[in-house]
Amino acid sequence: MSVNSKVSEDLINAYSKAIYKISFANTKCEFKVGQVSLCMADILIRNQATSATLLTAFNPLSVVHSMRQNVKRHKELLNLLVNLDVRFVDATGEDPAGIWSPELGFLIFNLGRDKSDSLALQFEQNAYVLIDESGMAELRLVL
């Protein structure tokens, strides 16, 4: 997490409390930032990956947009990932308090920190979740 971030403490707390969900090959996995997820570690192993990035294109800069705008941005991210020829699966980030609507995104394998930072900035995201091979999920602030 970046110490000099321009992201408010309230938003950082919201990102940290979110529940991130992945469905992959008949496996459902839920995890939170700051925790080790054994099911995420297993998904990484099964995909021969040493890391994964969970990224959304929804609600740039955490400003709520219409579903239509968000779906358009989601499709743009999808097309970019296909063109990058990287492995990815669908993902969702959900607010356990229900204040924010669920956000669609992707879990992208072996993208790396630099490329993840770049994509997050390109899609105007304050942060993304980086998962290491042990299944530890870290909130990575880019703004």
Side-chain angles (χ1 to χ4, degrees):
M1 200 172 340
S2 173
V3 176
N4 298 321
S5 175
K6 297 176 184 173
V7 180
S8 75
E9 201 62 39
D10 286 344
L11 277 176
I12 293 170
N13 287 334
Y15 300 153
S16 297
K17 290 178 182 174
I19 299 168
Y20 299 98
K21 297 181 177 183
I22 310 297
S23 288
F24 172 77
N26 298 323
T27 301
K28 292 187 187 289
C29 181
E30 294 185 6
F31 63 94
K32 295 179 92 171
V33 165
Q35 298 178 358
V36 172
S37 167
L38 296 179
C39 61
M40 274 307 308
D42 181 59
I43 288 172
L44 289 173
I45 289 168
R46 293 187 328 183
N47 281 277
Q48 300 176 340
T50 57
S51 68
T53 300
L54 195 147
L55 180 66
T56 183
F58 272 44
N59 299 324
L61 303 176
S62 292
V63 175
V64 177
H65 284 59
S66 72
M67 183 56 78
R68 183 178 182 177
Q69 290 170 311
N70 282 328
V71 167
K72 180 179 182 275
R73 293 175 57 82
H74 181 74
K75 288 179 181 176
E76 289 169 2
L77 177 56
L78 171 63
N79 290 334
L80 188 120
L81 294 175
V82 168
N83 288 331
L84 286 174
D85 195 29
V86 294
R87 279 188 56 90
F88 61 91
V89 295
D90 292 327
T92 307
E94 297 183 11
D95 175 8
I99 296 169
W100 287 78
S101 296
E103 294 186 353
L104 302 178
F106 300 101
L107 181 73
I108 311 155
F109 299 104
N110 290 329
L111 191 59
R113 202 174 279 247
D114 290 342
K115 188 63 178 172
S116 297
D117 286 355
S118 176
L119 280 181
L121 290 170
Q122 182 177 343
F123 283 89
E124 301 175 283
Q125 297 300 305
N126 292 324
Y128 62 89
V129 179
L130 185 64
I131 302 104
D132 71 15
E133 60 191 326
S134 73
M136 173 59 83
E138 168 196 356
L139 182 65
R140 177 112 172 110
L141 300 173
V142 292
L143 293 178

